[in-house]
Amino acid sequence: MSLLEIENATKLYPISGGLLGKEKQLCALNQFSMNLEAEPASITTIAGESGSGKSTIANLVLGFTSLSSGSIRFRGKDVNKMSSAELFDYRKNVQAVFQDPFGVYNPFYRIHHIFKMAIKHFKLATNKQEGRDLIEEALNVVGLRGEEVLEKFPHQLSGGQRQRMMMARAYMIRPRVIVADEPVSMVDASLRAAILDVMLKMRDQQGISFLYITHDLSTAYQIGDRIFILYQGNVVESGDTVAVIDQPKHPYVQLLIDSVPAPDPDENWGEQIDVPDEEETRFSDAIGCRYLGRCPQKTDLCASKAPILKPFSSGSPHQVSCHLYD
Amino acid sequence: MLKRKSISNPWLNTPLICGVLVIGIILTGTLVGHLYWDTEMAATRSAPLNLPPYGFENMRKQEGVIEHPLGTTNSGRDMLSVMLVGTPATMSIGFIAAGIGMLVGIILGFSAGFYGGWWDDLVRLLADTTTTIPALAVLIVVQSLFRVEVNTMAALIALFYWPGPTRYIRAQVLTMRESGYVKMAKLSGAPERDIMFKEMLPNLIPYLAASFIGNTSGAILTAIGLEVLGLGPTRMPTLGVTIYFALEAAAILRDMWWWWGLPTLMLILIFMGLLMINVGLDEVSNPRLRKAS
Amino acid sequence: MGGLTIQYVLRRFGIFLMTIWLASTVIFVIPRLAPGDPIQAMVSRMTQSAGYVENSEKIVEGWKERFGLNDPLHVQYVRYIKNLASLDLGVSLAMFPTTVKEVVGRAMPWSIGLMSISLVLYFFIGNLFGALLAWKRTPSLAKIAISISMIFTSIPGILCAIILIYLFAFNLDWFPFTGSFERGMQPAFTWEFISSVIYYGILPALSVVLVTFGFWTIGMRGMMVTVEGEDYMIFGQAKGLKPFYLLYRYQVRNAILPQITALAFSIGSIVAGQILVEAAFAYRGMGGVIVAAIKDIDYTVIQGTSFILILITATSVLILDLIYPLIDPRITFQKN
Amino acid sequence: MSESSVQKTLQVRDLKVYYDTPTGDIKAVDGISFDVHKGECLGIVGESGCGKSTAAYGILRLVQHPGKVAGGTVEVDGSNVSNFSEEEFRKIRATKLALIPQGAMNSLNPTMSIGAQIRDLILTHSGSSARAQLKERIDGLLRKVGLPLRVATMFPHELSGGMKQRVCIAIGIALNPSLVIADESTSALDVVVQRIVAQTLKNVQREMGVSMIMIGHDMGLMAQMVDRIAVMYAGKMVEISPTREFFNNPRHPYSKVLIEAIPSLKERKPLKLVEGITHDPRNPPPGCIYQLRCPFAEDVCRSKPPVWQQLKKSHQVACHLIKDEDHVAA
């Protein structure tokens, strides 16, 4: 049975249309569907540049924004139709780790506040000692010790420590899914591995699945199982992470992967490219392919009809949304 | 770049300490004074008329007496008693009005910022509108019909001192609503009540304090305005009312400086004390100001 | 660049009308919320202060007629708003049959004149001093002098007025106690008259300026310090721009914008403070009118003057709001 | 080629930048020395808080309170600018020493049009005689960084991050400086735009033959952009090496960590975990600054700070573990 099912999730934002006052809708996410199986636990990457809609997915799954259309189901139950008890259960089972490891700590409280809050509301422990043990065990998983960190204020710790503690907090709650929204992009490169490693451990040892939301294809390549690549609210390509990144099909994904600077002076970037400045094409009334403005391989069809996501070759899990492969 | 929070306590800055000391001394001084001085003499005809303070002479060569060390008015009020009664009365107008304003601000600001929608629009419109109404102009009309006493006057003044805190709290709630720690609290199953009062409110404390003090000062200012125009409370010789009587009786021309001068001096001290507290609180909530000084 | 969007202008106009409507409604409602009959209260106060009021019958009748107190409340309210909308402020009770419009109309130029001059002065001085306090290159002696000059900040203007009267009119006899120009002089565009107006206006203007500019100094200093930490200031330095140019074109230009917003929000209290100072100097402006009206218990004049004050405030705020987008290129950004 | 035959655009010796805190100075930059040769692009890498940006701002004398330049000399084109007065130094800013800040940040004055922000730079340094060809110069600069000319009349908030970054590049190179310092210039941009802007920057630098310091944390970007790489750790410079040599043969243990930490897009490898204990910056340990994190630390590392060693292939490193056979003959 599937654990988390997202079906045709769409998020529209109204924007005012300037002087004429004609209302337009900005489409932050368009018809996004994915399915997370309960077994085996996996890391699903949702990748894209800023404005691609990847954070919208995180906010939708976490219930911070509401869907314009489509549905999100947890263990078969529509999240929008849950009773408050079911919602509370969903909360406990779907946790998150955010990008900014500083902003998630209320500057007014000591570090232990984030742990105690979760213990209190989710009733994870019956007494103080039990709670203390829970925290200690969770910190252990990420390689920290309670006495080093719990009584401190957030600004007294390093970014890596703060982010590992967020991982520990999520672990302590024992959810089934963790939405990891850019968990390493504000952490120094040499400390990233520690956090990615915790993710792998939690997947393999605790059976916790991840929605790994990132702009960084390389880390996704290292730890991800499945990947969805978004462009302006649409999935342009999806499939097994290694397959997609080794052999990208969509012109955008090709450009994206090609643009990641290789850490090797002998492997050059190639010629200077020039793409027109990104235009806002996310309006809900836009027709045609969103990548039209930048695509070097566009045809007339691309302007008049939006491509749909379909398997690259029949039966293949590698899907692409581009008229080149019709 | 390296950024470290300074270890020194931001609340212990010079302007804040000075301001608190000034206001503290005034408040405790008048309270202690009530214990040792007969404040009944603040009423008319309880002392000889027009006496100067002890050690001075008035224009008619009368000398001040120790029984009335700060002199008396032309209606026989003992100035020391007037000061002891008037000072806390004046300050209480400010505190009551600012307190009501703050309470309303917290309720409206939180509800508007948290729930948004039409309620937010309405609160914002009302707040924007009320800020631009000159309080004094409205209160003059009201007071000229009905002369109310101190507490009612404070409540009326409070009508104009809620938009400041409301607007600020609303804006902060909107920002904090998107903040990581509020999201974390939501993810930890914290109820809305906790999010508002345990996560958001504590971070607003320095501002709320500054706004309370600023509004206290503003409310006293408005009250003084009404009083000096002759629209103050009739039964309580507040500092403003005393100045009004003095001006009415041409105390400046008669060189009865103690009559108008003492309440004026006291008010200046109160306003300066409040301003210093405010400047100090600004430094608490704006770290950049701290390092610049 | 910049410019006004229609939504922005409409919203500002909406607030303008709301302000006036809300304030007038408060003036209408609160007296009626109180127990008792406002007319009865007025008359009893008049009798109290005058012992006997000539024409009291007639006045009460005039009042009843004016307020139509026998009509239902909503009819009264509609008539009241209608009268205000057509600027029909009624007839003075004390100076019958002069209309309130005439009384206020005579006073308004004085108030607006004094207010604009002192506003320009303290806004300019305050921001200048604030900028100098925050600037690293200002000599420390100047900084100390500025700090000392701020001693009157925050005290009510009327107290400052009393002190100035005591010092400069009573003790030193440098300036007149009260009035707007020399008694007996006929208002005319002569040098004599104008210099008299200036001479009489110095103390009132000074009272307002002395107590007010410090607020702008404190605010400006805070904004300057905030702007100083911005990246564009560091980049401006990296461009090798001259310090003074950097100060006024980068730092002050950006720091002053919130100050202008603040100005719009403080017009209400500025007007109030001004009225009181005028009252202290028995100036011919609206403050003087109000003091006289309060003494005479001239309710229609009090009400009319207050309404005009509200109108002036709302208009000033509207003007500032409409000017603002022209000086801040970012204001139209909100639509994105 | 020998060291002396190369023309130096910039020579930094023993630069120190300290931050004043109530509990003692933080040595953000603690005595670093390096050169930038004419026409060369030097990359300075390191993790957050290592002092790489602070070093750049130290060279430019733009360290903000409570930081201060606490020592060292800076020579530009052979003349020592460290004892220049404020006014003398102001005149060489942008004309000799220029900065390209992070454009995605608030680096452009929000109340001035882009054209005006280029104009004030030119007029300040070239005087009013420059007024005649002002428009052509501004247009030329915009063209050079690949921006449409209408950008001159636009305000910063109307531009995208990539466009703002290009404006910053245009301002940085406007007066043909001897050296430009690009501080994390492309870090905040999306990867495609980052590539375009980085390539623009590289092309402009090559065309003008200007020397450049690029400060950043993205090793991949450095591999693409710079001729030599300098690594900083906790305020010290630990290694300087030509780029190719650096990636092929990193010598300092910390450099190895940095290179190993780069996630690859070519092959899936097990994650390399490193211990992340850092010292209190107010109270650095005696000896090598990296000892707490170094898996190879020996007794000598805990007592004696390592000296700067000259290795083959213009490779320099500060580490006790480097054996003698690698040294160039003295």
Side-chain angles (χ1 to χ4, degrees):
Chain A
M1 173 182 170
S2 64
L3 187 63
L4 187 71
E5 243 180 307
I6 303 176
E7 203 180 306
N8 294 331
T10 299
K11 179 68 190 177
L12 302 170
Y13 290 102
I15 48 167
S16 75
L19 279 178
L20 293 170
K22 198 183 159 211
E23 281 259 313
K24 270 193 163 186
Q25 304 259 46
L26 187 74
C27 186
L29 186 68
N30 188 25
Q31 306 275 327
F32 178 76
S33 299
M34 69 165 278
N35 188 4
L36 206 60
E37 296 295 331
E39 299 286 338
S42 62
I43 295 178
T44 302
T45 303
I46 295 170
E49 297 184 298
S50 47
S52 63
K54 59 185 193 301
S55 290
T56 306
I57 296 178
N59 286 330
L60 287 171
V61 171
L62 295 171
F64 293 150
T65 47
S66 56
L67 283 166
S68 300
S69 65
S71 67
I72 297 175
R73 286 191 294 278
F74 184 71
R75 289 177 175 145
K77 265 233 154 72
D78 192 328
V79 174
N80 268 330
K81 292 172 188 145
M82 282 183 176
S83 68
S84 59
E86 285 169 328
L87 257 180
F88 196 73
D89 180 61
Y90 176 73
R91 260 280 107 97
K92 187 175 175 303
N93 278 300
V94 180
Q95 280 296 314
V97 174
F98 296 120
Q99 173 177 23
D100 175 8
F102 188 63
V104 291
Y105 295 92
N106 193 334
F108 191 77
Y109 294 107
R110 290 173 201 278
I111 295 291
H112 57 61
H113 178 69
I114 58 153
F115 293 98
K116 294 202 168 145
M117 207 164 37
I119 291 175
K120 180 182 156 199
H121 298 302
F122 290 133
K123 299 188 178 57
L124 301 177
T126 50
N127 59 46
K128 264 209 161 123
Q129 188 53 46
E130 221 180 295
R132 185 84 202 182
D133 292 345
L134 265 178
I135 299 173
E136 211 53 67
E137 189 209 336
L139 285 175
N140 221 354
V141 172
V142 300
L144 292 168
R145 273 180 304 152
E147 74 243 38
E148 283 170 358
V149 291
L150 288 177
E151 289 302 318
K152 296 209 163 132
F153 280 101
H155 66 262
Q156 293 169 313
L157 299 172
S158 74
Q161 281 174 314
R162 286 194 289 254
Q163 195 63 300
R164 279 194 280 169
M165 249 162 341
M166 290 320 296
M167 283 285 174
R169 176 199 162 277
Y171 171 85
M172 183 186 76
I173 300 170
R174 302 279 148 81
R176 299 304 314 275
V177 182
I178 293 177
V179 177
D181 190 357
E182 300 272 15
V184 295
S185 67
M186 283 170 80
V187 175
D188 276 328
S190 66
L191 304 173
R192 275 180 200 168
I195 289 156
L196 298 174
D197 182 58
V198 171
M199 287 171 67
L200 289 177
K201 263 197 233 159
M202 283 160 83
R203 178 192 67 182
D204 299 337
Q205 294 166 12
Q206 303 294 329
I208 298 174
S209 288
F210 282 85
L211 274 189
Y212 176 45
I213 291 166
T214 186
H215 69 280
D216 175 15
L217 293 173
S218 342
T219 51
Y221 187 76
Q222 294 302 319
I223 65 163
D225 297 312
R226 208 159 33 129
I227 192 165
F228 291 84
I229 295 176
L230 295 172
Y231 181 78
Q232 300 216 351
N234 282 6
V235 175
V236 288
E237 195 162 342
S238 74
D240 174 70
T241 307
V242 175
V244 169
I245 291 178
D246 283 349
Q247 280 168 330
K249 304 294 177 218
H250 195 282
Y252 168 67
V253 182
Q254 288 167 352
L255 174 68
L256 194 62
I257 290 171
D258 195 37
S259 297
V260 177
D264 181 351
D266 293 319
E267 191 184 317
N268 270 335
W269 233 332
E271 87 247 46
Q272 164 100 45
I273 52 160
D274 198 20
V275 296
D277 243 42
E278 198 159 0
E279 281 169 55
E280 190 60 86
T281 57
R282 291 184 292 166
F283 301 113
S284 53
D285 56 359
I287 50 166
C289 178
R290 306 266 162 126
Y291 191 56
L292 186 71
R294 283 183 157 193
C295 188
Q297 290 162 277
K298 60 180 168 235
T299 63
D300 290 343
L301 182 62
C302 303
S304 57
K305 189 169 159 252
I308 51 162
L309 191 67
K310 52 185 175 304
F312 166 62
S313 55
S314 65
S316 159
H318 191 159
Q319 296 187 308
V320 61
S321 139
C322 179
H323 289 308
L324 287 176
Y325 303 98
D326 279 346
Chain B
M1 288 228 193
L2 282 166
K3 269 181 201 140
R4 299 270 155 177
K5 266 215 169 151
S6 99
I7 308 282
S8 63
N9 189 341
W11 293 86
L12 296 177
N13 62 59
T14 326
L16 188 56
I17 294 171
C18 290
V20 170
L21 274 180
V22 170
I23 298 296
I25 289 172
I26 292 173
L27 278 178
T28 47
T30 49
L31 285 179
V32 170
H34 273 264
L35 299 177
Y36 294 99
W37 197 256
D38 178 15
T39 50
E40 295 289 308
M41 288 193 292
T44 51
R45 270 168 289 186
S46 50
L49 311 184
N50 301 331
L51 282 183
Y54 182 64
F56 292 90
E57 266 186 3
N58 65 12
M59 273 175 138
R60 272 182 273 157
K61 304 285 175 214
Q62 285 172 301
E63 282 195 13
V65 293
I66 192 75
E67 287 78 20
H68 304 289
L70 297 183
T72 61
T73 71
N74 73 339
S75 56
R77 295 176 194 258
D78 171 55
M79 274 308 288
L80 178 56
S81 304
V82 167
M83 299 296 287
L84 289 177
V85 171
T87 306
T90 293
M91 288 177 83
S92 76
I93 294 179
F95 288 135
I96 293 172
I100 297 176
M102 171 86 23
L103 208 65
V104 174
I106 290 176
I107 295 168
L108 292 184
F110 266 106
S111 59
F114 214 81
Y115 299 113
W118 66 269
W119 174 241
D120 181 37
D121 289 340
L122 181 70
V123 168
R124 219 158 48 121
L125 187 63
L126 273 179
D128 280 359
T129 311
T130 312
T131 336
T132 40
I133 298 177
L136 194 73
V138 175
L139 291 172
I140 283 173
V141 179
V142 175
Q143 282 286 84
S144 64
L145 278 180
F146 298 98
R147 303 291 288 280
V148 295
E149 288 311 312
V150 173
N151 291 345
T152 322
M153 194 163 127
L156 278 176
I157 291 174
L159 279 179
F160 299 92
Y161 285 93
W162 60 270
T166 304
R167 291 159 58 101
Y168 183 85
I169 293 170
R170 175 190 165 274
Q172 289 300 305
V173 167
L174 283 181
T175 317
M176 285 192 282
R177 210 169 58 165
E178 301 304 316
S179 74
Y181 58 84
V182 165
K183 285 184 176 175
M184 262 306 141
K186 282 187 191 167
L187 284 177
S188 302
E192 273 176 7
R193 186 185 63 242
D194 275 22
I195 290 175
M196 285 194 227
F197 297 112
K198 286 192 181 160
E199 300 294 322
M200 293 178 166
L201 196 58
N203 289 299
L204 290 174
I205 287 172
Y207 166 76
L208 291 181
S211 152
F212 177 76
I213 295 298
N215 277 353
T216 303
S217 163
I220 296 178
L221 193 72
T222 306
I224 302 283
L226 285 173
E227 291 164 358
V228 171
L229 288 175
L231 296 175
T234 45
R235 280 194 290 264
M236 174 65 79
T238 62
L239 298 178
V241 168
T242 308
I243 294 173
Y244 169 71
F245 285 137
L247 293 182
E248 280 298 285
I252 296 182
L253 281 172
R254 292 160 73 186
D255 205 12
M256 290 173 71
W257 51 265
W258 59 92
W259 190 0
W260 60 267
L262 291 174
T264 301
L265 183 70
M266 182 59 84
L267 281 171
I268 290 177
L269 284 176
I270 292 173
F271 279 103
M272 285 193 358
L274 292 173
L275 180 72
M276 277 191 285
I277 295 181
N278 225 337
V279 170
L281 288 170
D282 263 355
E283 285 188 26
V284 175
S285 46
N286 185 354
R288 275 179 176 172
L289 281 177
R290 229 177 296 151
K291 74 175 188 195
S293 52
Chain C
M1 268 315 291
L4 311 151
T5 61
I6 282 181
Q7 288 99 321
Y8 180 85
V9 175
L10 283 182
R11 181 172 165 83
R12 295 298 129 183
F13 259 107
I15 288 179
F16 171 74
L17 293 176
M18 265 290 278
T19 307
I20 295 166
W21 170 75
L22 196 73
S24 327
T25 305
V26 169
I27 292 175
F28 178 86
V29 169
I30 291 188
R32 283 165 181 78
L33 283 180
D37 177 355
I39 297 301
Q40 221 47 58
M42 282 299 295
V43 173
S44 74
R45 287 204 33 221
M46 288 169 113
T47 8
Q48 251 174 34
S49 62
Y52 168 73
V53 182
E54 225 178 314
N55 294 335
S56 76
E57 297 278 306
K58 205 170 158 190
I59 291 168
V60 171
E61 259 328 292
W63 269 74
K64 293 239 166 181
E65 199 181 316
R66 166 142 179 82
F67 281 106
L69 284 187
N70 306 322
D71 292 337
L73 215 55
H74 66 270
V75 178
Q76 292 180 39
Y77 180 66
V78 170
R79 183 167 45 234
Y80 166 79
I81 293 290
K82 233 158 122 187
N83 285 341
L84 289 186
S86 55
L87 284 181
D88 173 9
L89 305 171
V91 180
S92 162
L93 300 181
M95 292 173 274
F96 193 82
T98 322
T99 62
V100 174
K101 217 157 133 188
E102 280 174 73
V103 177
V104 179
R106 275 201 296 266
M108 217 158 80
W110 292 97
S111 281
I112 290 181
L114 189 61
M115 185 170 117
S116 358
I117 287 172
S118 38
L119 188 144
V120 168
L121 278 176
Y122 60 68
F123 194 71
F124 177 77
I125 296 174
N127 285 309
L128 178 71
F129 282 8
L132 288 175
L133 271 189
W135 199 33
K136 287 203 187 75
R137 288 161 190 264
T138 310
S140 46
L141 205 67
K143 287 189 184 179
I144 293 169
I146 290 172
S147 306
I148 292 173
S149 73
M150 284 164 58
I151 187 125
F152 281 112
T153 303
S154 87
I155 72 167
I158 188 157
L159 297 188
C160 183
I162 294 170
I163 294 169
L164 291 181
I165 291 174
Y166 179 70
L167 289 179
F168 295 108
F170 177 72
N171 273 339
L172 297 170
D173 204 15
W174 288 356
F175 292 100
F177 270 73
T178 55
S180 306
F181 51 86
E182 210 156 315
R183 211 156 285 167
M185 213 180 251
Q186 281 304 311
F189 268 108
T190 61
W191 170 241
E192 218 184 348
F193 177 72
I194 291 171
S195 59
S196 170
V197 167
I198 292 173
Y199 179 56
Y200 275 74
I202 287 177
L203 281 191
L206 200 60
S207 311
V208 176
V209 172
L210 274 183
V211 300
T212 319
F213 83 86
F215 280 116
W216 301 102
T217 303
I218 294 173
M220 185 63 175
R221 176 179 167 269
M223 279 321 300
M224 290 286 288
V225 170
T226 307
V227 170
E228 194 178 352
E230 296 285 353
D231 298 313
Y232 56 80
M233 285 300 297
I234 298 173
F235 193 34
Q237 263 178 287
K239 283 161 77 178
L241 300 175
K242 292 183 178 140
F244 188 65
Y245 177 82
L246 198 60
L247 174 75
Y248 76 83
R249 192 61 189 84
Y250 279 60
Q251 203 172 358
V252 171
R253 179 68 171 79
N254 285 290
I256 200 111
L257 294 176
Q259 291 286 89
I260 291 168
T261 317
L263 185 64
F265 280 120
S266 53
I267 295 269
S269 46
I270 289 170
V271 167
Q274 157 106 16
I275 292 309
L276 294 171
V277 168
E278 286 181 15
F281 285 98
Y283 205 71
R284 299 193 133 217
M286 323 244 299
V289 169
I290 283 196
V291 170
I294 290 170
K295 281 212 182 88
D296 299 342
I297 318 184
D298 192 344
Y299 183 73
T300 45
V301 171
I302 295 175
Q303 197 187 39
T305 320
S306 295
F307 177 75
I308 295 298
L309 285 177
I310 292 161
L311 201 64
I312 291 175
T313 311
T315 312
S316 321
V317 172
L318 181 67
I319 291 170
L320 274 176
D321 278 344
L322 294 184
I323 288 175
Y324 192 78
L326 306 178
I327 51 177
D328 187 350
R330 285 164 300 184
I331 196 85
T332 46
F333 186 48
Q334 285 154 351
K335 69 170 185 262
N336 287 356
Chain D
M1 67 190 159
S2 72
E3 281 291 312
S4 56
S5 71
V6 182
Q7 256 186 303
K8 287 178 193 166
T9 302
L10 179 77
Q11 175 182 302
V12 177
R13 289 293 173 269
D14 203 27
L15 180 71
K16 291 182 174 133
V17 184
Y18 292 173
Y19 277 88
D20 219 359
T21 73
T23 49
D25 280 350
I26 293 176
K27 297 177 176 174
V29 176
D30 192 12
I32 62 167
S33 304
F34 63 94
D35 300 331
V36 181
H37 306 144
K38 192 158 171 37
E40 161 191 67
C41 182
L42 173 76
I44 302 183
V45 296
E47 303 191 327
S48 50
C50 73
K52 54 188 190 296
S53 289
T54 311
Y57 286 86
I59 294 168
L60 291 162
R61 277 207 210 166
L62 288 174
V63 180
Q64 303 294 304
H65 183 88
K68 55 178 190 285
V69 176
T73 58
V74 176
E75 279 183 23
V76 182
D77 289 338
S79 61
N80 186 350
V81 299
S82 300
N83 41 29
F84 272 23
S85 70
E86 273 301 307
E87 178 60 16
E88 285 171 316
F89 200 88
R90 181 188 68 73
K91 286 184 179 149
I92 66 162
R93 286 199 181 121
T95 56
K96 282 182 173 293
L97 280 179
L99 173 73
I100 300 177
Q102 233 188 67
M105 310 284 280
N106 226 346
S107 293
L108 297 169
N109 184 345
T111 54
M112 274 172 93
S113 71
I114 301 301
Q117 297 191 51
I118 304 177
R119 197 178 309 131
D120 67 7
L121 172 79
I122 296 175
L123 289 181
T124 300
H125 292 285
S126 316
S128 46
S129 61
R131 221 171 265 280
Q133 293 111 32
L134 209 50
K135 175 130 191 3
E136 291 86 275
R137 279 181 80 174
I138 294 172
D139 287 353
L141 282 167
L142 292 176
R143 230 176 269 125
K144 203 180 247 173
V145 295
L147 284 171
L149 302 186
R150 67 190 157 85
V151 167
T153 59
M154 293 166 84
F155 282 87
H157 69 265
E158 299 169 296
L159 304 181
S160 70
M163 291 165 94
K164 275 192 275 191
Q165 190 56 63
R166 285 192 242 195
V167 171
C168 288
I169 295 175
I171 292 176
I173 55 152
L175 300 175
N176 286 315
S178 309
L179 177 85
V180 290
I181 300 180
D183 180 25
E184 301 271 12
S185 287
T186 60
S187 301
L189 303 175
D190 275 325
V191 64
V192 176
V193 182
Q194 181 188 54
R195 171 183 174 182
I196 297 166
V197 172
Q199 286 183 328
T200 305
L201 183 60
K202 188 76 199 160
N203 291 344
V204 168
Q205 187 241 340
R206 283 219 185 96
E207 272 168 37
M208 300 176 62
V210 57
S211 310
M212 182 155 91
I213 296 179
M214 235 188 113
I215 290 164
H217 61 271
D218 184 337
M219 299 300 287
L221 198 61
M222 287 293 162
Q224 298 294 320
M225 299 280 292
V226 304
D227 305 313
R228 285 196 303 150
I229 287 189
V231 180
M232 278 186 75
Y233 180 80
K236 300 259 195 202
M237 204 152 262
V238 295
E239 184 162 356
I240 301 181
S241 159
T243 306
R244 188 161 287 121
E245 166 75 3
F246 179 81
F247 279 95
N248 294 338
N249 186 22
R251 301 306 301 270
H252 196 280
Y254 181 60
S255 306
K256 291 179 185 157
V257 165
L258 285 183
I259 291 178
E260 278 166 2
I262 310 168
S264 168
L265 260 182
K266 296 277 173 283
E267 54 171 331
R268 218 165 171 153
K269 308 182 271 202
L271 296 164
K272 277 268 184 184
L273 299 189
V274 288
E275 272 312 305
I277 312 161
T278 44
H279 56 265
D280 176 0
R282 285 175 203 83
N283 196 7
C288 176
I289 204 82
Y290 189 61
Q291 57 178 286
L292 291 179
R293 285 177 73 175
C294 187
F296 316 108
E298 296 169 357
D299 284 346
V300 61
C301 303
R302 294 187 189 94
S303 55
K304 219 174 85 190
V307 289
W308 199 235
Q309 307 179 60
Q310 192 70 47
L311 310 181
K312 288 170 200 148
K313 297 179 184 165
S314 309
H315 202 142
Q316 296 163 294
V317 67
C319 179
H320 288 300
L321 304 168
I322 306 300
K323 295 298 171 260
D324 287 337
E325 62 265 26
D326 299 319
H327 289 186
V328 277

